[in-house]
């Protein structure tokens, strides 16, 4: 090989020649991010040229690796672009844009650019192009280089790049700061340095391609494998590419194609391969088998065939059979990509005639049941990848496919809950706190559909959210009614915590905000007029309490058991200790300076406080078991250590104090440091914001509303004013104004749930794209709150630094009436918005938000 530094002009101009991008190269894929960076580099070099500083260094753009093309001849050199096609394509498009920009005012210069860099003047057909992109990009590139510009198609990377440069050249003509377009051309052709690596005919260019580490887009596993395949197809490459690969590439994106390649390995029985190891694994299979061109072609044909199956998983509407289509649609809505190995196997076996459409739908119902029952019963999802990846290799061969799949999923350690466990969890588990919101909504939707109402709701267009019939923030009337049902010394608040999130207390509605925290008789009137059969049945009851919640849970359990088939009996049952394992996990996650109660832990688990106490008293080795106290913050009379303690370390109160738990004058643990069942759920929930069920994930405060419709901001302040004082409302308005003056913006939650307001910094489009210190919620009957989102800040710079979060906590605690314990730095503690109405607090909070903004701005300068 030979390597030398060169410039675009030296590489491209001169005698007639052609640079060919091989079939195995990916299509053009630079995004606006890459184009902007290149444009900034070009302008920088143009300014250096304008300054006359010839000694300034050029900008190094990267490498270009070339190899002699098999079509090369002495009169017309042709080179394969082994690496660097993205750079060469982009620079060629930039020059085409400059040519077209000056075509009317300087036609001679436009012709010069064309002939020097873009075309071979005396050649025709494909040979006329000096750069010949990979086949999928060829027509688009040719249209921009030699015209006509027709049929570009949406989303074309070539068209997008060309349009970008045309737009930037128009901007460069700004009279306020004009840029000489020919100086920009000169910067492109003579100030962007490349390292050209030229291989000899006998060099292994595939190895060069495989090992390159360049500054462009990283090659994916699909890119590497495509390169390998077509380097091996020496005689049939064009035919295979046009017949199978190009249609395959047109039907799937690069990431989807990589997923399909991985699935094919799994379907062939390699149940251990990781997607990131796809290329090496498939290459090894070919080389171990001594695969020739025939085997390579057979592999690509099979990819092409299976791509139709894969598209049906991604786009269920393409499935012709209605029952199979409905099942695939539900799995797609569940976001069940983890099941794709099993689903691909089923569609493949159906095509081979081993099962018909009805059997396929039944098999899909087993997959759906496996997912839904596990979610309702709160089985962790961390082993789902392994379970479904093993299906093709482990499917029993001695029974039909559908029954084989059911047997495999029913086997030991697959944890497919049976009817008894499902019924128990529907009665007791806090369904609302587990799984993704769209999964919870889908369960309720399926239960509603099971009533087979003659005029069913169109769920695709209905804006429904999940409603707690007994509200999450109950008023005195609700607590009084619960007190009539409390037994065994259980407080109404504990009873509420235990049943509020269970499935029996949840329904779907389009009037969530209107239902709010109203007494049940008011809710009855609203639910009675609902189009949902579930709501009509709730409205038909005389009262709503624990007895009614449990009765409805039993009714829904009957329907769930009928909807989602049970596993086979006797194949091997799951362990029954998962709930206690969940308890151990959450107790081990208790932050320093916090405690919880038996009732809180029981509500989190969907258990009873006495059962929790018995388990902790009789199970050795449970971390932080002594930090579970009675509801009033005292050590239970029945507490005992399950193992001998070091002398002097057996005093529970001393241990609690050592863990940062404070005590009141009465000797009880500080109630501010108590973690509720919701806090415990948040500890294990991660940082994905699922706080407001079903809201628009855009979070964009600037989102347009249909004419005459209430804006999100208007909805927020209407809901806030419903149960907060005018002084509080005005204080919040002043707070928003201050935040916007700091350079922030207000994002609002959408939909019919109680609207939220986010104090955002950074790019619009969602919390994942910026940072926010707090989220404000109207109180829906209990007074508005500001949720301080320490949990989310912890994964966003610069507040990954805990000392900064602690600094924010200290400033918030300076507000009168605010006392957030340090242990809640891992959570999302609330501040009552009514406190902001106090002038001193309003001033301190404004200063705190300014401090927060300054820390965020400083992170960009460091």
């Amino acid at each position: 090989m030979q390597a030398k530094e060169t410039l675009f002009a030296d590489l491209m101009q001169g005698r007639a020649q052609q640079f060919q991008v091989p079939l195995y190269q990916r299509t053009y894929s630079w995004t606006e991010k890459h184009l902007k960076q290149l444009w900034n580099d070009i302008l920088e070099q143009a300014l250096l040229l304008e300054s006359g500083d010839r000694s300034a260094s050029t900008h190094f753009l990267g490498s270009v690796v070339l190899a002699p093309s098999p079509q090369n001849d002495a009169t017309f050199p042709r080179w394969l672009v082994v690496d660097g096609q993205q750079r060469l394509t982009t620079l060629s498009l930039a020059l085409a844009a400059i040519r077209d920009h000056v075509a009317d005012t300087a036609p001679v210069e436009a012709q010069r650019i064309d002939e020097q860099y873009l075309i071979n003047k005396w050649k025709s057909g494909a040979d006329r192009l000096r750069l010949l992109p990979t086949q999928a990009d060829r027509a688009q590139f040719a249209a921009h280089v030699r015209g006509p510009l027709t049929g570009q198609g949406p989303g074309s990377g070539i068209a997008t790049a060309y349009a970008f440069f045309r737009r930037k050249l128009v901007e460069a003509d700004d009279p306020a700061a004009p840029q000489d377009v020919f100086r920009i051309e000169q910067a492109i052709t003579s100030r962007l340095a490349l390292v050209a690596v030229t291989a000899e005919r006998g060099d292994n260019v595939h190895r060069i391609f495989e090992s390159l580490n360049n500054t462009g887009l990283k090659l994916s596993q699909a890119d590497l494998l495509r390169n390998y395949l077509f380097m091996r197809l020496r005689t049939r490459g064009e035919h295979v590419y046009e017949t199978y690969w190009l249609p395959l590439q047109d039907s799937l994106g690069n990431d989807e194609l990589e997923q399909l390649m991985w699935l094919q390995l799994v379907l062939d029985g390699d149940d251990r391969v990781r997607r990131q190891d796809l290329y090496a694994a498939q290459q090894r299979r070919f080389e171990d088998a001594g695969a020739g061109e025939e085997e390579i072609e057979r592999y690509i044909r099979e990819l092409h065939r299976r791509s139709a199956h894969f598209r049906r998983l991604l786009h269920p509407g393409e499935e012709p059979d209605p029952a199979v289509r409905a099942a695939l649609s539900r799995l797609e809505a569940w976001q069940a990509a983890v099941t794709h190995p099993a689903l691909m196997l089923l569609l493949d076996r159906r095509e081979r005639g081993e099962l018909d459409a009805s059997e396929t739908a039944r098999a899909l119902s087993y997959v759906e049941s496996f997912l839904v029952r596990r979610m309702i019963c709160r089985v962790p999802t961390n082993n789902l990848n392994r379970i479904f990846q093993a299906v093709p290799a482990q499917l029993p061969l001695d029974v039909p496919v559908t029954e084989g799949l059911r047997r495999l999923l029913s086997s030991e350690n697959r944890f497919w809950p049976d009817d008894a466990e499902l019924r128990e969890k529907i009665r007791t588990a806090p369904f609302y706190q587990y799984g993704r919101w769209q999964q919870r909504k889908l369960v309720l939707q399926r239960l509603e559909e099971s009533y087979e109402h003659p005029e069913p709701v169109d769920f695709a267009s209905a804006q429904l959210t999940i409603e707690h019939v007994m509200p999450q923030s109950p008023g005195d009337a609700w607590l009084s009614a619960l007190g009539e049902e409390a037994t065994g010394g259980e407080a109404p608040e504990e009873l509420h915590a235990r049943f509020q999130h269970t499935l029996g207390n949840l329904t779907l509605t389009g009037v969530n905000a209107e239902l709010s925290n109203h007494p049940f008789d008011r809710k009855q009137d609203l639910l009675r007029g609902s189009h949902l059969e579930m709501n009509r049945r709730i409205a038909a009851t005389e009262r709503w309490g624990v007895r009614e919640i449990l009765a409805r849970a039993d009714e829904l359990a009957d329907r769930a058991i009928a909807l989602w088939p049970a596993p086979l009996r006797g194949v091997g049952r799951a362990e029954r200790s998962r709930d206690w394992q969940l308890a151990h996990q959450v107790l081990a996650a208790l932050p320093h300076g916090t405690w919880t109660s038996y009732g809180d832990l029981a509500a989190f688990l969907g258990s009873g406080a006495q059962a929790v106490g018995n388990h902790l008293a009789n199970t050795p080795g449970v971390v932080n078991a002594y930090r579970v106290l009675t509801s009033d913050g005292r050590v239970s009379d029945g507490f005992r250590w399950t193992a001998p303690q070091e002398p002097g370390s057996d005093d529970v109160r001393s241990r609690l104090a050592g863990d940062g738990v404070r005590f009141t004058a009465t000797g009880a643990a500080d109630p501010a440091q108590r973690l509720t069942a919701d806090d415990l759920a948040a500890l294990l929930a991660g940082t994905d914001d699922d706080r407001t069920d079903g809201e628009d994930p855009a979070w964009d405060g600037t989102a347009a509303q249909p004419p005459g419709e209430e804006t999100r901001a208007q909805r927020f302040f209407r809901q806030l004013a419903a149960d907060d004082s005018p002084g509080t409302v005005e204080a919040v308005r002043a707070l928003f104004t201050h935040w916007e003056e700091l350079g922030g913006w207000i994002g609002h939650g959408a939909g019919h749930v109680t609207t939220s307001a986010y104090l955002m910094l950074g790019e619009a489009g969602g919390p994942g794209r910026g940072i926010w210190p707090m989220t404000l919620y109207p109180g829906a009957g209990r007074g508005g709150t500001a949720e301080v989102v320490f949990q989310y800040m912890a994964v966003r710079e610069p507040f990954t630094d805990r000392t900064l979060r602690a600094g924010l906590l200290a400033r918030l605690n300076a507000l009168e009436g605010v006392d957030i314990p340090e242990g809640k730095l891992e959570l999302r503690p609330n501040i009552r918005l009514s406190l902001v109405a106090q002038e001193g607090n309003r001033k301190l909070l404004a200063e705190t938000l300014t401090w927060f903004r300054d820390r965020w701005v400083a992170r960009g300068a460091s």
Side-chain angles (χ1 to χ4, degrees):
M1 290 187 298
Q2 297 179 356
K4 65 175 183 179
E5 184 170 335
T6 188
L7 301 169
F8 185 84
D10 297 332
L11 187 68
M12 298 295 285
Q13 65 185 358
R15 65 175 181 166
Q17 60 181 332
Q18 189 173 71
F19 297 87
Q20 302 175 341
V21 179
L23 295 174
Y24 57 75
Q25 287 273 22
R26 63 185 169 202
T27 55
Y28 183 75
S29 52
W30 270 25
T31 65
E32 184 146 317
K33 175 183 176 181
H34 302 95
L35 297 173
K36 283 180 177 178
Q37 181 61 55
L38 174 63
W39 183 251
N40 290 336
D41 294 334
I42 291 170
L43 291 184
E44 182 181 68
Q45 292 298 320
L47 289 173
L48 289 172
L49 286 171
E50 185 178 8
S51 70
D53 184 1
R54 303 295 177 180
S55 64
S57 61
T58 58
H59 175 75
F60 176 62
L61 193 59
S63 61
V64 175
V65 180
L66 307 173
S69 169
Q71 301 171 344
N72 191 27
D73 63 52
T75 61
F76 186 53
R78 294 181 174 92
W79 302 94
L80 291 178
V81 183
V82 180
D83 183 64
Q85 65 117 339
Q86 304 285 336
R87 300 180 185 89
L88 295 184
T89 303
T90 304
L91 296 179
S92 296
L93 289 169
L95 289 169
I98 292 174
R99 175 202 63 191
D100 296 341
H101 182 76
V102 302
D104 292 337
T105 57
V108 174
E109 293 296 329
Q111 183 179 358
R112 174 187 61 77
I113 293 170
D114 210 25
E115 294 177 9
Q116 280 185 327
Y117 305 114
L118 300 175
I119 65 168
N120 295 306
K121 182 177 181 179
W122 307 111
K123 296 290 183 179
S124 60
D127 288 348
R128 189 170 178 83
L129 295 173
R130 193 154 291 209
L131 176 68
L132 190 67
T134 189
Q135 193 164 340
D137 286 331
R138 200 166 292 172
Q140 285 291 310
F141 184 82
H144 286 83
V145 170
R146 64 186 188 191
L149 286 176
T150 59
Q152 293 182 26
S156 163
I158 295 288
T160 299
Y162 175 83
F164 171 87
F165 290 116
R166 288 302 303 264
R167 186 173 73 248
K168 289 299 181 182
L169 288 167
V170 171
E171 292 176 13
D173 275 343
D174 182 0
Q179 295 279 347
D180 186 332
V181 68
F182 294 109
R183 194 169 284 121
I184 291 174
E185 177 212 343
Q186 187 181 359
I188 292 172
T189 58
S190 64
R191 299 292 299 175
L192 301 181
L194 299 162
V195 170
V197 180
T198 307
E200 302 293 342
R201 186 168 297 278
D203 290 335
N204 189 335
V205 294
H206 164 60
R207 293 297 185 197
I208 301 169
F209 178 85
E210 184 178 346
S211 61
L212 282 169
N213 181 17
N214 56 62
T215 59
L217 285 174
K218 184 179 179 181
L219 294 172
S220 69
Q221 294 288 299
D223 295 327
L224 291 168
L225 185 51
R226 178 179 57 239
N227 161 50
Y228 176 82
L229 295 172
F230 283 97
M231 290 293 291
R232 297 284 298 269
L233 287 171
R234 298 184 184 279
T235 64
R236 294 183 58 77
E238 286 281 349
H239 168 74
V240 173
Y241 190 89
E242 293 179 6
T243 307
Y244 303 112
W245 191 271
L246 196 54
L248 176 65
Q249 192 168 262
D250 287 343
S251 69
L252 298 173
N254 196 63
D255 187 67
E256 295 166 347
L257 180 56
E258 183 174 298
Q259 176 78 355
L260 176 61
M261 290 173 162
W262 173 78
L263 285 168
Q264 181 139 320
L265 267 175
V266 175
L267 292 167
D268 288 341
D270 193 343
D271 63 349
R272 297 285 183 179
V273 66
R274 300 182 304 168
R275 181 167 163 177
Q276 58 263 41
D277 299 328
L278 157 68
Y279 166 63
Q282 188 63 63
Q283 180 190 39
R284 185 167 55 250
R285 286 171 68 94
F286 283 135
E287 294 182 355
D288 288 348
E293 287 198 54
E294 184 178 342
E295 289 78 15
I296 299 289
E297 181 176 347
R298 187 182 304 119
Y299 169 79
I300 295 175
R301 280 203 310 269
E302 187 68 358
L303 267 182
H304 178 266
R305 181 183 73 86
R306 282 175 164 160
S307 67
H309 302 160
F310 189 47
R311 278 193 60 85
R312 289 176 186 177
L313 307 189
L314 303 175
H315 312 285
E318 297 180 7
E319 165 59 44
D321 182 81
V324 175
R325 181 170 62 249
L328 290 177
S329 296
R330 290 193 296 271
L331 289 169
E332 193 272 335
W334 194 268
Q335 298 183 358
V338 69
T339 66
H340 283 175
L343 306 191
M344 288 287 288
L345 180 141
L346 293 173
L347 296 182
D348 179 68
R349 297 295 179 88
R350 181 180 64 167
E351 183 176 321
R352 296 176 188 274
E354 295 183 33
L355 66 168
D356 60 21
S358 65
E359 291 169 328
T360 304
R362 184 157 60 92
L364 292 171
S365 77
Y366 295 146
V367 175
E368 180 183 333
S369 172
F370 185 80
L371 295 174
V372 172
R373 284 177 175 241
R374 283 169 56 105
M375 184 273 238
I376 292 174
C377 296
R378 307 207 301 177
V379 181
T381 60
N382 51 10
N383 65 342
L384 284 177
N385 275 310
R386 179 182 57 79
I387 289 172
F388 283 104
Q389 193 169 332
V391 166
Q394 297 181 7
L395 192 70
L397 301 177
D398 57 342
V399 293
V401 175
T402 300
E403 289 310 308
L405 178 64
R406 189 181 188 188
R407 179 195 293 181
L408 182 61
L409 294 179
S410 301
S411 60
E412 190 174 4
N413 294 327
R414 295 302 196 279
F415 306 116
W416 185 358
D418 60 16
D419 290 348
E421 185 174 2
L422 181 64
R423 184 178 296 279
E424 176 195 351
K425 293 304 183 205
I426 288 176
R427 284 175 61 89
T428 62
F431 173 82
Y432 188 72
Q433 292 180 325
Y434 202 75
R436 301 189 181 101
W437 73 263
Q438 70 269 21
Q439 294 171 347
R440 300 193 290 267
K441 187 175 176 182
L442 186 62
V443 168
L444 285 162
Q445 176 182 324
R446 289 278 280 147
L447 290 169
E448 168 63 27
E449 290 171 337
S450 72
Y451 288 97
E452 299 182 347
H453 195 276
E455 297 180 4
V457 170
D458 180 4
F459 286 98
S461 60
Q463 293 186 333
L464 301 177
T465 56
I466 297 177
E467 160 74 3
H468 290 70
V469 184
M470 177 174 67
Q472 297 185 73
S473 300
D476 293 338
W478 282 101
L479 292 175
S480 176
L482 285 173
E484 297 173 5
E485 295 186 273
T487 59
E490 189 172 21
E493 291 81 3
E494 292 175 315
L495 205 58
H496 170 264
R498 191 146 60 90
F499 286 100
Q500 62 169 327
H501 295 316
T502 59
L503 193 53
N505 189 48
L506 302 174
T507 189
L508 292 172
T509 179
V511 291
N512 189 299
E514 285 77 6
L515 289 171
S516 185
N517 291 341
H518 290 303
F520 183 64
D521 56 358
R522 171 62 178 141
K523 290 195 171 191
Q524 280 180 302
D525 294 338
L526 292 167
L527 293 172
R528 195 173 288 119
S530 171
H531 293 292
L532 275 69
E533 185 63 25
M534 286 195 301
N535 292 341
R536 293 195 183 100
R537 289 172 178 253
I538 293 170
T541 62
E542 293 184 6
R543 63 182 300 277
W544 196 257
V546 172
R547 287 190 299 273
E548 289 73 24
I549 290 172
L550 289 174
R552 181 166 179 266
D554 289 336
E555 177 187 341
L556 295 180
D558 290 339
R559 293 184 173 276
I561 287 167
L563 277 173
W564 294 293
L568 294 172
R569 293 179 179 273
V571 179
R573 295 308 314 135
E575 298 176 18
R576 308 288 294 192
S577 60
R578 289 192 306 271
D579 287 345
W580 297 128
Q581 181 60 30
L582 197 61
H584 301 168
Q585 290 176 17
V586 78
L587 289 179
L590 288 180
H592 182 81
T594 62
W595 61 277
T596 193
S597 75
Y598 293 101
D600 292 319
L601 186 55
F604 166 70
L605 296 173
S607 179
Q610 186 173 352
V612 167
N614 290 338
H615 175 78
L616 296 181
N618 295 290
T619 307
V622 178
V623 178
N624 290 328
Y626 60 90
R627 289 166 69 181
V628 182
L629 308 175
T630 63
S631 59
D632 58 357
R634 301 181 186 278
V635 179
S636 168
D637 292 338
F639 176 83
R640 65 177 183 272
W641 298 105
T642 56
Q645 303 296 301
E646 293 289 333
S649 67
D650 58 348
D651 179 65
V652 178
R653 180 168 169 142
S654 297
R655 292 283 291 273
L656 290 168
D659 285 339
V661 175
R662 302 188 299 259
F663 294 90
T664 67
T666 64
D670 187 346
Q673 295 180 304
R674 174 179 171 179
L675 299 189
T676 66
D678 287 345
D679 290 332
L680 297 177
L683 277 179
L684 298 187
T687 58
D688 291 337
D689 189 7
D690 205 18
R691 168 65 166 79
T692 47
D693 179 75
E695 290 196 348
D696 183 346
W699 311 90
D700 188 355
T702 64
Q705 300 287 336
E709 183 173 318
E710 185 180 44
T711 67
R712 298 182 187 184
Q714 289 169 340
R715 184 178 303 125
F716 172 83
F717 279 107
R718 173 175 60 79
Q719 294 172 354
L720 183 65
D723 65 342
D724 268 294
S725 69
T728 299
V729 174
E730 288 310 307
V732 171
R733 289 189 187 277
L735 188 68
F736 286 3
T737 299
H738 175 72
W739 186 249
E740 290 170 336
E741 289 172 350
L742 292 174
W745 55 279
I746 309 299
H748 288 283
H752 297 272
V753 296
T754 300
T755 307
S756 50
Y758 291 75
L759 304 185
M760 295 296 303
L761 287 171
E763 194 174 353
R769 302 177 67 178
I771 194 169
W772 70 113
M774 56 179 59
T775 310
L776 278 62
Y777 295 96
R782 303 287 289 184
T785 57
E787 183 180 74
V788 187
V789 291
F790 292 122
Q791 189 175 31
Y792 304 140
M793 284 182 236
V795 293
R796 288 167 170 82
E797 296 293 346
F799 289 91
T800 51
D801 182 349
R802 195 175 191 276
T803 59
L804 283 180
R805 300 200 304 279
L808 175 60
L809 175 70
R811 284 167 172 78
L812 291 171
N813 279 341
L815 274 68
E816 184 179 350
V818 176
D819 184 16
I820 302 172
E822 187 177 352
K824 295 195 175 182
L825 272 178
E826 322 299 328
L827 296 167
R828 302 170 304 197
N830 289 322
I831 297 172
R832 286 286 170 195
L833 287 179
S834 58
L835 296 175
V836 185
Q838 302 174 27
E839 184 176 353
N841 280 348
R842 187 163 61 248
K843 181 180 178 181
L844 285 172
L845 184 55
E847 293 173 354
T848 298
L849 292 175
T850 303
W851 175 89
F852 182 92
R853 190 279 313 267
D854 291 346
R855 302 288 81 70
W856 184 77
V857 170
R859 67 87 176 80
S862 60

